[in-house]
Amino acid sequence: MMKIAVLGATGQTGQYLVNQALQQGHSVTAIVRNPGKLTVQHEKLKVVEGNIFSEDSLKPHFQGQDAVISCLGFPASFLSGVTGYTLSMRAAVNAMREAKVNRIITMTSWYTDPNSGTQSSYLIRFLLLPMIRSVLSNMFEMEHFLKKTQDVNWTIVRPPGLKNLPATGKEFLTHEGYFVPDSNGLPVGSAVGRGDVARFMLFLLNTDVWFNKAVAITTKNE
């Protein structure tokens, strides 16, 4: 059983992750902007107010934790660009160093590399990806920041489209890349349940297989 600090705990994926972590017996510290938004109550859940962009705010809450899991998400912005992923990750990594926490698991998306979507369907390539490119670009920057971070064990989980569905028992398909390809190199599947993304992120607490790697995931259709 581990002590986990969770960022983005009030988001849709974060709520699945907090609930599953508690069911698995972990102790969870949910660091949120508005504690009233997290309605779960549990003896192993501590809800604290914190600023995800401030290492000074995060540091005391990271103290004594075994790992940090970030389910943070930020909306697309056509005008000003998106900066939340990089700014929050810099603050988190700096706070982790000060608090002597060595493990972070975070989520981005398929197709963060601008050149990785060429095999995707017409709708995804020409409609969806341009709409969310501001988000994907900042995710891509954050991934590069982590790849240059030598002193922390990080894993980036890249899911495809997200459905607001609970965890299943489906097998995961994984690939160290920007999407999960089939035998012809074409993307497999287009969406996964948020509960399953949370399930995979928690699975990573018990393995070093994906240390310092970015892994694209999807679930196998029975």
Side-chain angles (χ1 to χ4, degrees):
M1 297 306 104
M2 291 196 184
K3 294 178 179 174
I4 311 164
V6 179
L7 304 174
T10 57
Q12 290 175 309
T13 307
Q15 289 185 49
Y16 281 116
L17 188 129
V18 167
N19 282 309
Q20 287 179 37
L22 294 169
Q23 284 165 17
Q24 291 174 21
H26 299 298
S27 297
V28 177
T29 300
I31 303 165
V32 299
R33 189 175 54 198
N34 180 358
K37 279 182 78 178
L38 198 62
T39 53
V40 189
Q41 291 187 323
H42 194 282
E43 60 182 4
K44 287 198 165 187
L45 173 65
K46 185 175 162 192
V47 183
V48 297
E49 194 173 335
N51 179 355
I52 54 169
F53 302 118
S54 162
E55 62 188 88
D56 292 335
S57 176
L58 295 174
K59 180 183 156 185
H61 304 310
F62 283 3
Q63 222 97 42
Q65 306 288 349
D66 296 308
V68 176
I69 300 183
S70 174
C71 301
L72 289 168
F74 299 92
S77 169
F78 293 106
L79 301 174
S80 56
V82 177
T83 57
Y85 293 97
T86 41
L87 294 178
S88 60
M89 186 54 71
R90 281 194 190 110
V93 167
N94 287 335
M96 286 171 67
R97 286 181 178 127
E98 303 235 344
K100 306 284 189 287
V101 181
N102 195 38
R103 181 80 175 110
I104 186 163
I105 298 160
T106 189
M107 59 184 284
T108 58
S109 172
W110 280 20
Y111 306 130
T112 49
D113 182 320
N115 302 313
S116 62
T118 53
Q119 301 298 318
S120 61
S121 70
Y122 184 90
L123 275 178
I124 288 175
R125 188 177 177 189
F126 294 107
L127 191 64
L128 177 65
L129 293 184
M131 282 174 64
I132 61 168
R133 180 51 61 194
S134 59
V135 167
L136 295 174
S137 295
N138 195 231
M139 286 177 168
F140 192 51
E141 276 182 69
M142 182 188 82
E143 291 175 347
H144 273 271
F145 168 74
L146 281 177
K147 286 173 185 178
K148 290 186 290 187
T149 303
Q150 306 291 323
D151 56 335
V152 165
N153 283 324
W154 52 267
T155 303
I156 297 160
V157 178
R158 294 178 175 140
L162 295 170
K163 293 179 183 171
N164 209 17
L165 294 171
T168 66
K170 289 180 182 177
E171 184 187 334
F172 286 106
L173 300 174
T174 58
H175 180 69
E176 190 179 353
Y178 292 99
F179 60 91
V180 179
D182 64 13
S183 55
N184 298 312
L186 298 172
V188 177
S190 58
V192 67
R194 291 177 185 274
D196 279 329
V197 177
R199 176 167 66 100
F200 188 81
M201 293 176 90
L202 288 168
F203 152 76
L204 291 171
L205 291 172
N206 304 309
T207 178
D208 59 4
V209 172
W210 295 104
F211 269 17
N212 300 336
K213 289 179 178 174
V215 52
I217 68 165
T218 189
T219 46
K220 197 172 185 176
N221 289 323
E222 264 73 26

